[in-house]
């Protein structure tokens, strides 16, 4: 049995033992009038706090009125449902406790001897010893599982260069990985295991990949390759971009100039027009979200994640309450519509695919339109990300290459 399965088995046993031990205590607590907290209580509290946060975001103009009404409506409906569920759970729990330790006990027989003190002591001590034993076993198994998980996070390779500035993976070949750095670019054709220089581009500030084209944003302009990195040449129709993002489904392009101006192209770079807004001053990465009405995601070093508004400007996309990103220093952002993830809100809004961000604490993922972020199991100081389908690459500051074939769930 693998360590994760063993951990799950022991956890289930521990929970069963804990239920057997706590049931009498729970009964006494209820009879003495103590309050009983549940997950629903916490969810209701989180919902109320989220509504306060949303109102604050709306008051300072960080979220549009439409988004405010939609998200706050979802939260109100969810909170009301939680309140209903909480009441239902409490009624069921009362009935279950009565069945376990209440009316099921035999009635006292008049004149019968009282339970000896020693027997009562054993009745209390034995469950306590059992609980300690179960928890001790659980700690051991979790420790073993953590070591096993750490072993599964060994890098598949190392780029072998410093000052990494970006990464991209071919949409048609998930093993063809491109990394830009201070003196040029590196290519891997075997999923990040081995690397060789990309001949042509010099000092590189970023990298991007389309359906059949690789791009390196170099100090002397944009370079491209249409033969999987075998040959490179200057891309004459492109402005001098320092960031470039490509929509996975639409192949629409969005680039950022040194001045901060954003330009977009819907014909593979043959023509360009001004984007919805100028780039944030601390921009570190850009992604095109082309599910539904396309919009841009910006990674920043001082404001976290921002999303472009259709009417112009940017709004915060760092999540809310317990789903908020723990840092506003984001190194990179990517979006992939074909991860197999999907989300539907209570109001019927849908979001397909997932967004990922790189931080010094690892990688975070959002599948609900950036309303919440969860940390993935990879623990590394991540500098760049690249994704194609469900294959996600994370490039650490020291050049280590981590790869996930299941959209970030496991890393090997």
């Amino acid at each position: 049995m693998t360590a994760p399965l063993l951990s799950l088995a022991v956890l289930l046993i521990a929970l069963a033992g804990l239920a057997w031990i706590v049931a009498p205590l729970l009964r006494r607590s209820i009879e003495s009038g103590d309050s009983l907290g549940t997950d629903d209580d916490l969810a209701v509290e989180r919902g109320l706090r989220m509504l306060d946060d949303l109102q604050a975001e709306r008051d300072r103009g960080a979220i549009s009125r439409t988004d405010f009404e939609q998200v706050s409506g979802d939260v109100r409906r969810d909170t009301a449902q939680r309140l209903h569920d909480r009441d239902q759970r409490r009624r069921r729990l009362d009935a279950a406790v009565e069945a376990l330790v209440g009316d099921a006990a035999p009635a006292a027989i008049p004149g019968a001897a009282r339970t000896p003190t020693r027997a009562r002591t054993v009745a209390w001590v034995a469950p306590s010893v059992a609980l300690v034993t179960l928890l001790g076993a659980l700690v051991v198994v979790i420790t073993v599982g953590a070591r096993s998980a750490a072993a599964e996070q060994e890098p598949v390779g190392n780029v072998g260069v410093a000052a990494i500035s970006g990464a991209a993976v071919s949409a048609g070949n998930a093993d063809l990985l491109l990394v830009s750095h201070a003196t040029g670019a590196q290519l891997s054709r075997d999923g990040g295991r081995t690397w060789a220089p990309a001949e042509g581009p010099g000092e590189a500030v970023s990298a991007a990949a389309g359906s059949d084209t690789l791009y390196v944003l170099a100090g002397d302009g944009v370079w491209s390759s249409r033969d999987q990195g075998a040959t490179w040449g200057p891309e004459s129709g492109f402005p001098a971009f320092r960031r470039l993002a490509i929509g996975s489904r639409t192949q629409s392009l969005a680039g950022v100039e040194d001045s901060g101006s954003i330009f977009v192209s819907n014909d593979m770079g043959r023509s360009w027009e001004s984007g919805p807004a100028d780039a944030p001053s601390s921009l570190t990465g850009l992604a095109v979200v082309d599910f539904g009405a396309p919009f841009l995601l910006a990674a920043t070093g001082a404001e976290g994640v921002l999303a472009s508004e259709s009417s112009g400007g940017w709004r915060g996309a760092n999540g809310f309450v317990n789903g908020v990103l723990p840092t506003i220093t984001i190194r990179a952002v990517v979006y992939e519509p074909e991860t197999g993830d999907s989300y539907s809100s209570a109001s019927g809004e849908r979001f397909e695919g997932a967004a990922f961000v790189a931080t010094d604490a690892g990688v975070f993922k959002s599948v609900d339109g950036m309303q919440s972020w969860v940390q993935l199991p990879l623990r590394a100081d991540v500098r760049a990300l690249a994704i194609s389908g469900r294959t996600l690459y994370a490039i650490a500051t020291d050049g280590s290459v981590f790869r996930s074939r299941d959209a970030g769930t496991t890393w090997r």
Side-chain angles (χ1 to χ4, degrees):
M1 183 179 293
T2 63
L5 290 178
L6 183 59
S7 297
L8 179 60
V10 174
L11 178 59
L12 292 175
I13 294 171
L15 290 176
L18 186 60
W20 169 67
I21 294 165
V22 169
L25 303 177
L26 185 60
R27 170 61 178 173
R28 293 191 177 195
S29 175
I30 293 175
E31 290 178 344
S32 65
D34 292 340
S35 62
L36 174 65
T38 68
D39 288 342
D40 288 322
D41 292 313
L42 297 176
V44 169
E45 183 180 350
R46 286 197 300 268
L48 296 175
R49 288 202 305 267
M50 183 181 290
L51 290 173
D52 290 339
D53 291 345
L54 284 169
Q55 186 61 57
E57 292 280 305
R58 176 70 183 124
D59 292 343
R60 69 184 184 89
I63 183 173
S64 68
R65 178 179 178 180
T66 301
D67 288 341
F68 171 77
E69 292 176 349
Q70 175 187 321
V71 176
S72 62
D74 290 343
V75 173
R76 288 191 181 94
R77 282 187 289 272
D78 182 70
T79 302
Q81 184 63 48
R82 293 282 191 172
L83 284 168
H84 173 75
D85 292 345
R86 183 188 65 182
D87 293 339
Q88 292 289 89
R89 287 171 184 263
R90 285 181 171 174
R91 282 192 287 269
R92 290 196 298 268
L93 183 58
D94 286 343
V97 171
E98 288 293 339
L100 281 172
V101 297
D103 299 336
I109 301 174
R114 295 173 58 87
T115 303
T117 302
R118 181 176 180 183
R120 291 200 303 270
T121 302
V122 170
W124 283 99
V125 171
S128 301
V129 173
L131 176 60
V132 171
T133 302
L134 287 169
L135 293 179
L138 186 60
V139 168
V140 170
V141 172
I142 289 175
T143 301
V144 172
R147 290 176 179 174
S148 174
E152 291 180 351
Q153 293 179 186
E154 289 296 323
V156 296
N158 193 293
V159 182
V161 296
I164 291 167
S165 56
V169 59
S170 170
N173 180 1
D175 285 333
L176 181 59
L177 183 59
L178 173 68
V179 168
S180 58
H181 55 91
T183 58
Q186 298 286 109
L187 271 171
S188 173
R189 303 180 187 279
D190 55 9
R193 289 188 175 87
T194 60
W195 294 84
E199 300 297 335
E203 176 185 352
V205 294
S206 188
S211 58
D212 59 359
T213 307
L214 300 176
Y215 297 95
V216 172
L217 280 63
D220 56 353
V222 178
W223 289 64
S224 63
S225 172
R226 291 176 174 79
D227 53 11
Q228 298 197 340
T231 59
W232 294 82
E235 192 68 50
S236 58
F238 282 52
F241 290 138
R242 60 185 173 93
R243 297 288 174 187
L244 180 66
I246 304 175
S248 178
R249 284 180 173 167
T250 62
Q251 295 297 296
S252 58
L253 306 176
V256 182
E257 290 186 318
D258 283 335
S259 64
S261 297
I262 295 179
F263 293 91
V264 296
S265 173
N266 295 312
D267 55 10
M268 296 303 296
R270 288 186 289 274
S271 62
W272 297 87
E273 59 184 29
S274 296
D278 287 346
S281 59
S282 60
L283 183 77
T284 56
L286 194 68
V288 174
V289 179
D290 52 357
F291 168 73
F295 63 94
L296 301 179
L297 283 179
T300 74
E303 300 174 83
V305 183
L306 302 175
S308 65
E309 297 274 22
S310 58
S311 58
W314 299 89
R315 62 176 175 85
N318 296 310
F320 300 100
V321 193
N322 289 343
V324 70
L325 283 168
T327 176
I328 58 172
T329 303
I330 310 298
R331 274 82 174 275
V333 59
V334 294
Y335 166 77
E336 171 56 56
E338 308 299 336
T339 61
D341 299 291
S342 63
Y343 168 79
S344 296
S345 69
S347 62
E349 296 293 326
R350 284 182 50 78
F351 187 82
E352 290 185 5
F356 303 82
V357 294
T359 75
D360 61 352
V363 182
F364 291 79
K365 176 180 181 179
S366 176
V367 298
D368 59 3
M370 285 66 68
Q371 294 182 54
S372 64
W373 295 87
V374 296
Q375 187 169 18
L376 298 180
L378 177 65
R379 298 294 183 265
D381 184 357
V382 181
R383 178 64 57 178
L385 295 172
I387 190 168
S388 176
R390 288 176 60 80
T391 300
L392 174 65
Y393 292 95
I395 317 299
T397 302
D398 64 359
S400 297
V401 181
F402 298 91
R403 183 182 64 205
S404 172
R405 297 291 195 186
D406 53 14
T409 302
T410 59
W411 298 81
R412 295 183 177 87

